[in-house]
Amino acid sequence: MAEDTHLQRPAPMALPPLPPVPDTAGQENGAASVELARFRSELSELRSRMSEHRTDLSEFRTSLSQHRTDLSEHRTDLSGERTEMSMRRTGMSIQRTRMSADRTLMSVQRTSLSLIGFGFTLYQTFDKLHDMGTIRSSAAPRNFGAALIVLGILLLVGGISRHLQFAFQLRHVRAELKEAGLVHGEMDYPVSLTLITSILLLAIGVLAITGIVFHIEVFGA
C-alpha cells in the first residue's frame, strides 16, 4: 500500500501576476526585440513553473490510483476470507440441523417409551391381579394398556419415518452444495445413534404387543 507521504496533495500554486506587455512603439528594432525577448522569457518561466505544478499533481493522482488499487486488492482478499468463513458456517449449520433432527427424534423416543412402558406395566399388573383372583375382570385396563403400547409404536414409527425422510433430504442438499463448491465436506456425516436406538425400541414395542395379543411370555414368566 502506498505510503502516506505519497498521498500528500501538493500545495496550491500562487500564480504571480502576468508581466506587463512591453510597449515597443517608437523604439528601434533592436531595443524592441530585446524587450519582447525579455517578455517571452518571463512568460516561459511562468509556464515552466505551472508545468512543474501540473507534474506534481499528476504524480499525486498516480499515487492515489496506486493506493486505490492496493485497497481494492485488500478488499478482494477480505472477500475471499469472508467467502471461506461463510462456507465453513454453512457446513456447521448443516451439522447443527442434523443434530436438531436427532434431538427431535429423541423427544419422540422418550414419549413413545413412556407410552409403551406404562402400557405394558398396566397390562401386566392387572393381568397378574386377575390370575391371583384379586380382581374378577381385567379386560378394560388390559385393553387400555395394549392401546397405549400400540399408540407408542405408531408414534415411534411416525417419528422414525419423518426422521429418515428429513435425513435423506438433508444429505441431498449437502451433496448439491458440496458439488457446487458452496460448502466444505471434510466432516463425516455419521449414522444417527438415536435412530438405531429408536429402531431397537420399536422392536421391543412390537414384541410387547405381540406377546399381549398372542398371550406369549416374550420377556419371561
Side-chain angles (χ1 to χ4, degrees), residues 193-209:
L193 294 178
T194 306
L195 177 60
I196 296 175
T197 305
S198 298
I199 294 175
L200 294 177
L201 178 59
L202 177 61
I204 293 174
V206 171
L207 289 176
I209 194 64

Side-chain angles (χ1 to χ4, degrees), residues 33-198:
S33 298
V34 172
E35 289 292 334
L36 290 176
R38 184 181 298 111
F39 176 71
R40 283 195 297 270
S41 298
E42 292 176 356
L43 288 179
S44 297
E45 182 180 354
L46 180 60
R47 282 196 297 268
S48 297
R49 293 173 59 187
M50 294 181 65
S51 297
E52 291 176 358
H53 185 66
R54 282 195 297 268
T55 302
D56 294 338
L57 289 176
S58 297
E59 292 177 353
F60 175 70
R61 284 194 296 268
T62 301
S63 299
L64 283 179
S65 298
Q66 182 62 39
H67 184 65
R68 284 194 294 267
T69 301
D70 293 339
L71 286 178
S72 298
E73 293 176 354
H74 183 63
R75 282 196 296 267
T76 301
D77 294 338
L78 290 178
S79 298
E81 293 177 0
R82 284 195 295 267
T83 301
E84 178 71 16
M85 290 297 297
S86 179
M87 294 172 64
R88 297 289 180 183
R89 282 195 296 267
T90 303
M92 294 302 296
S93 296
I94 293 176
Q95 294 294 334
R96 286 194 295 270
T97 303
R98 180 186 63 82
M99 290 187 288
S100 296
D102 281 350
R103 287 193 294 270
T104 302
L105 182 59
M106 288 178 64
S107 299
V108 175
Q109 184 184 109
R110 287 193 295 267
T111 305
S112 178
L113 178 60
S114 299
L115 291 171
I116 295 174
F118 182 71
F120 186 77
T121 302
L122 186 65
Y123 177 88
Q124 288 292 320
T125 299
F126 282 91
D127 188 61
K128 295 301 180 183
L129 290 175
H130 179 265
D131 292 342
M132 290 186 298
T134 305
I135 56 177
R136 287 185 298 176
S137 176
S138 63
R142 285 188 299 176
N143 292 338
F144 181 69
L148 289 179
I149 296 176
V150 172
L151 182 60
I153 290 174
L154 293 178
L155 178 63
L156 193 56
V157 169
I160 292 175
S161 300
R162 182 67 187 93
H163 181 83
L164 288 175
Q165 179 185 6
F166 181 77
F168 288 144
Q169 291 176 351
L170 189 62
R171 285 176 181 268
H172 180 67
V173 171
R174 181 174 181 267
E176 288 183 345
L177 292 176
K178 183 180 178 182
E179 184 178 356
L182 299 176
V183 66
H184 293 289
E186 294 89 352
M187 296 184 66
D188 295 331
Y189 202 93
V191 178
S192 173
L193 294 178
T194 306
L195 177 60
I196 296 175
T197 305
S198 298

Side-chain angles (χ1 to χ4, degrees), residues 1-9 60 63-64 67:
M1 189 175 292
E3 298 179 358
D4 292 339
T5 54
H6 295 167
L7 299 178
Q8 292 180 357
R9 184 182 179 89
F60 175 70
S63 299
L64 283 179
H67 184 65

